[in-house]
Amino acid sequence: MSRLVVSGLTKIYGNFAAAKDVSFEVGEGELVSLLGPSGCGKTTTLRMIAGFITPTRGSVTIGEDDVTRIAPWSRNTGMVFQNYALFPHMTVAQNVAFGLEMRRIGGAEVRERVQSALQMVRLDHLADRYPRNISGGQQQRVALARAVAIRPRVLLLDEPLSNLDAKLREQVRIEIRTLQQELKLTTIMVTHDQDEALTMSDRLILMEGGVVQQIGTPRELYNRPRSRFVADFVGQSSFIEGEVVAPGQFRSIQGALLSCPERDASGATLNTGKATLAIRPEAIRLGPAAETAPPGHAGKVEFVSYLGSRIDVHVRLATGEAVISTLRDLAEPLSVGDPCHVSWADASVTAFTA
Amino acid sequence: MSGRVLLRAFAAPGLTIVLLPIVLVSWLAFFSQEIPSFPPEGHSLRWFSAAFSERKFASGFLLSAEIAALSTAIGLAVSIPAAIALQRFRFRGRGTLGSILLFPLVIPGVVLGAALYIFEVQAEKTTDLPLIGSYAGLVIGHVLIVIPWCIKLLGVSLSGLDRGIEEAAMNLGAKPWTTFRRILLPGIRPGLVAASLFGFVVSFGNLEMTLFLVGPGQSTLPIAIMQYLEWKVDPTIAAVSVVQIVLIGAALLLTDRYVSLSRVV
């Protein structure tokens, strides 16, 4: 396994930049996710690492080798495709053996390595089946075994879970992560699913419009988003738009006076002018309407989503702002139209200019 | 339920019209009398032995099979890269090229044959190459009518093939040629089988165009049959037809075991 360094990677089609100056590093054995909405450049970046797209500028380095101009078949990356791309005319075992044959590895060793790769994904009993005769989840694991069997220097996962149903996804997520850690595979995963990215990754790279927006651990991205886009894309947030009227004082568009941090998300002093406040739903407390402490705001319940392990309550403040609160449980049942007391700690507010 | 009844009500007359001549010809082949008339005076196999002992039919059959095999092979060799290019790449003139390759399908065989003949005459006059009535000229013509079928059938097969599997192969270390040989070709095998079969059948049964291209002494099976009919009308022809029908039918059934023909055509 090797370190991967992507530096200044850019791909321009005509006058459209699919990826702009993308730079990051993936350490040995680390799993890093490229996360973002569709069209953000994450897949383009992955395909440039695999060698299927030639970058306009920038470089890809695996270990000590600059592979920017190296053909895909000589890069020694193992890729798991979104639709698995198993060879339909080959059995499961032949699929897994293909990469080894290409490396001119001898018959006995091929058999041994195919066997161990299939055992790793617990599919050795299906070695002689054809891809069309196994389930989607099994196909996914064959694709993984095929990519891992060649002992790639970097493992590339392209939306590996998007074709699985919700229940299976949860399980495969854990399997892939466990396998990746056991084998210490340097891994890049492309996904548009933030839950997937948060639960599986050591670090996340959030992209939008071909540009890297923020790189950090899941915790960093969730707790210290550097821009409104990040706060919006990773987890839920209630956004209140308005302006800073004095240091630490904010007036919303609807006219509510709120306290705000003195520095914005990037750490710069927050000057007076337009700004947006973001509050995570678990930081917002709801209480009975009669409550006065801690100081807060009067609100009215607009919508209640019961999600089993948690309840999302959409509340409209008396001044007009909409906020969402996540509760573990309701002490007293809240229903639509009920008045309530809304409060949050000042420290839980993040401010963005613009 | 009522839909199925309706479908059968429409399908039945259609099927009857299609199958009736085949049934009648096959029956005729077993009539014992020389002049075909109903009802048959008796049944016999003598026309089959007559057909097999007629040298013109045997040599016509061999020539037809040879020409069909050769032109299908050449047609496939030309069509595989062409179909891939048409399917995979966006280039200027792509639509026009696609239409040109399918053109022989819509040109009447007589027109095609006459045009090729005139071309051969002109070409021979300017280059002195012996083209008119040559074996090569005949094969070239047949390649021409085989190509549209190959392009069409391979195209269907290619469009159903996931491009991702080629990328997967390259990712696993396969160079382009290996990817083509190990992944793409097996992937379009149904199309290849269907294209070979249809190419062969189209070439084997062609009469109109072939009439213009054969040289003296060369007669393909359809031409041999036509020549025979000019002098004689007896069930020998029906027997020859039955042999053809059985061979082609067997080929179709065999193919259908590997490729569902209704899916490809």
Side-chain angles (χ1 to χ4, degrees), chain A residues 248-271:
Chain A
Q249 281 189 34
F250 177 90
R251 186 170 58 223
S252 77
I253 288 176
Q254 290 89 346
L257 276 172
L258 307 167
S259 55
C260 73
E262 292 186 7
R263 290 177 180 281
D264 73 5
S266 62
T269 309
L270 200 55
N271 295 318

Side-chain angles (χ1 to χ4, degrees), chain B residues 6-94:
Chain B
L6 205 64
L7 179 70
R8 285 185 182 165
F10 277 104
L15 213 58
T16 311
I17 292 170
V18 171
L19 291 179
L20 197 62
I22 296 178
V23 171
L24 286 182
V25 164
S26 308
W27 191 16
L28 184 66
F30 296 95
F31 284 15
S32 58
Q33 77 268 35
E34 191 160 345
I35 308 296
S37 66
F38 281 95
E41 288 163 13
H43 293 90
S44 96
L45 289 173
R46 56 188 277 223
W47 305 115
F48 285 91
S49 64
F52 282 110
S53 53
E54 176 73 40
R55 273 199 44 225
K56 281 214 135 185
F57 290 149
S59 65
F61 181 89
L62 286 180
L63 182 64
S64 277
E66 196 180 301
I67 299 271
L70 196 57
S71 40
T72 302
I74 298 173
L76 268 181
V78 175
S79 301
I80 291 169
I84 292 172
L86 287 172
Q87 181 69 34
R88 294 290 163 78
F89 305 118
R90 298 283 166 267
F91 50 89
R92 191 196 294 259
R94 177 175 162 271

Side-chain angles (χ1 to χ4, degrees), chain A residues 42 52-53 101 123 146 148 181 206 231 266 273 313 318 332 350:
Chain A
K42 56 189 194 293
F52 297 131
I53 297 178
E101 280 174 47
L123 281 180
R146 184 177 70 176
V148 170
Q181 287 179 324
L206 187 57
S266 62
V313 185
E332 289 171 54
T350 312

